[in-house]
Every structure is written in C-alpha cells, then in structure tokens.
Amino acid sequence: STLSEKLKKTVPLPDADVRAIIESHELRIIKKAACQQDCLGLTEQEILDFHKTASFDVANSSPRQHPNPRYVMRGKIRNTDYQITYIIGENRTRISDISPNACNCGD
C-alpha cells in the first residue's frame, strides 16, 4: 500500500457466505460426480447436504474465476474425509468432483 508499510492480505469468505453462494441456485450433480458418488457408495442426499457442515477450502478454490467460480468444501460423510468441488453457474450450482476416490470416472 502507498499509505502504509504494513502487509495487507485478502480475508477469505466465511463458511456461511460460501454456503449461501452454493445454495443461491438449484444444486445439480454432474455426470463425473454422479459416477464417483455411485463408486463411493454415497447417497444423493449425502452429497446434496455435504456443504451444510463442511468448511471452505480457500487454497483449492477459485472464487474469482470467470465466468464460473469454483468452491471446494472439505468435510466428513460417515466419518470419512471428502472434498467436493462446486461450480457456480448462472442458473445452477454444479457438483463436479468428489475426492479422494479411486474411481475411474474420467474428467
């Protein structure tokens, strides 16, 4: 900053704000994530509710990506750690990836 010699950094969005962004549109599970869901034995409801208790992963997210920001949330389903990627579109929020997995679902 020209006004100060202090270090300035961006403050990440709070988890509640990211949840509101994810819920701002209808949630859809795209083909790759649906394949991963089946492979991992997870229910659709578990996937759709995941973000409600998960934490925002700032390092792996691209909230400023244009036109479709990506948000990664980390949490647990049935005591197993997962991270799910959400792509925010104009009309819907797409669940695009469930990790980690050893599924052969393609990209």
Side-chain angles (χ1 to χ4, degrees):
S1 167
T2 57
L3 303 176
S4 168
E5 293 181 20
K6 294 181 180 178
L7 176 65
K8 307 236 184 231
K9 61 183 178 180
T10 304
V11 177
L13 287 169
D15 291 344
D17 289 354
V18 176
R19 286 185 194 105
I21 292 167
I22 289 170
E23 292 177 346
S24 66
H25 301 300
E26 177 185 1
L27 284 168
R28 294 271 174 96
I29 301 172
I30 64 173
K31 187 177 180 179
K32 177 183 172 187
C35 172
Q36 293 168 338
Q37 170 194 327
D38 291 341
C39 173
L40 295 166
L42 302 173
T43 68
E44 181 176 351
Q45 199 59 52
E46 287 172 322
I47 300 304
L48 294 175
D49 290 341
F50 178 79
H51 69 281
K52 294 176 182 178
T53 58
S55 299
F56 177 44
D57 182 346
V58 178
N60 290 310
S61 297
S62 305
R64 298 192 195 293
Q65 182 172 308
H66 183 73
N68 301 108
R70 292 177 185 265
Y71 293 90
V72 176
M73 301 292 281
R74 290 185 173 273
K76 291 185 181 284
I77 300 174
R78 293 189 232 141
N79 292 322
T80 300
D81 291 322
Y82 290 102
Q83 76 176 29
I84 294 183
T85 303
Y86 300 84
I87 301 172
I88 310 301
E90 186 175 330
N91 299 315
R92 66 185 54 98
T93 297
R94 297 180 304 272
I95 296 171
S96 66
D97 185 67
I98 304 165
S99 298
N101 69 68
C103 306
N104 187 18
C105 292
D107 286 326

